[in-house]
Amino acid sequence: FQAEDGIRDRSPSRGLGDVYKRQLMTSVRKVEPPFRIAVVGGAQASKVECELAQELGRQLAGLGTLVVCGGGGGVMKAVAQGATEAGGLVIGILPGSDPKSANPWIGIPLATGMGEARNALVVQGAEAVISVGGEWGTLSEIALASKIGLSVGTLGNPPAKGLGLPVLENPVEAARWALERAQAFRGS
């Protein structure tokens, strides 16, 4: 078939009836995106917090989740390393404007130029949140996540007492808890 403008139409649906075209379009299987879990914690973290975060990253990757973090050092670097080494993908939401500032384990660095305000994007991009240690920045992420209705759990020492958040005993439990909460959030 040649159109009036002289361009040949080579589409496989050419000549098919409109009903068949609609059936073809609606029968295409939709790809279910992975569940997104944010891991928040301090850029300055203890050895124990980094070990917890690294194992948490491995566990989350093993469950097929996408890990979202702030892209920096400490807990963020540890969780990214664990997830990446286990074959997972990590998105780093960076405070600055240079994607090269991400730690080397970040698969997709998103430079925001927003400073600490990027904390809102870290949690907004997730379906559940796990806090590993942390300080004021982590507290802001916990507050923002809670405000938008995300489940937040803590692994290790929470950044403050009296938050009323679930305390997760180990990285395996934390990863499973986060996946269950993300499934509930999505309605799966």
Side-chain angles (χ1 to χ4, degrees), residues 20-181:
Y20 184 74
K21 285 181 192 177
R22 270 187 252 117
Q23 288 174 341
L24 191 64
M25 296 300 278
T26 58
S27 70
V28 175
R29 184 178 69 85
K30 290 186 179 180
V31 175
E32 190 68 28
F35 289 98
R36 301 175 316 277
I37 310 299
V39 177
V40 299
Q44 305 298 319
S46 71
K47 182 179 178 187
V48 170
E49 289 168 340
C50 288
E51 289 169 352
L52 287 170
Q54 191 170 359
E55 183 57 28
L56 176 60
R58 282 190 204 95
Q59 295 298 320
L60 289 169
L63 293 173
T65 70
L66 179 71
V67 175
V68 181
C69 71
V75 164
M76 297 169 279
K77 184 176 181 181
V79 74
Q81 181 178 356
T84 301
E85 286 178 343
L89 181 61
V90 183
I91 295 177
I93 311 290
L94 306 169
S97 299
D98 183 4
K100 294 177 188 158
S101 69
N103 75 61
W105 301 101
I106 297 297
I108 302 175
L110 299 177
T112 67
M114 296 176 63
E116 295 302 319
R118 71 74 152 86
N119 291 356
L121 299 178
V122 171
V123 297
Q124 190 68 48
E127 295 165 302
V129 178
I130 301 172
S131 164
V132 182
E135 294 181 354
W136 291 108
T138 305
L139 279 171
S140 75
E141 290 164 319
I142 290 170
L144 291 165
S146 297
K147 180 74 175 167
I148 64 172
L150 294 179
S151 297
V152 181
T154 62
L155 178 60
N157 292 324
K161 303 282 186 217
L163 296 175
L165 301 173
V167 176
L168 306 163
E169 296 299 318
N170 57 60
V172 172
E173 179 188 349
R176 289 183 183 149
W177 176 89
L179 179 58
E180 289 170 5
R181 300 316 312 143

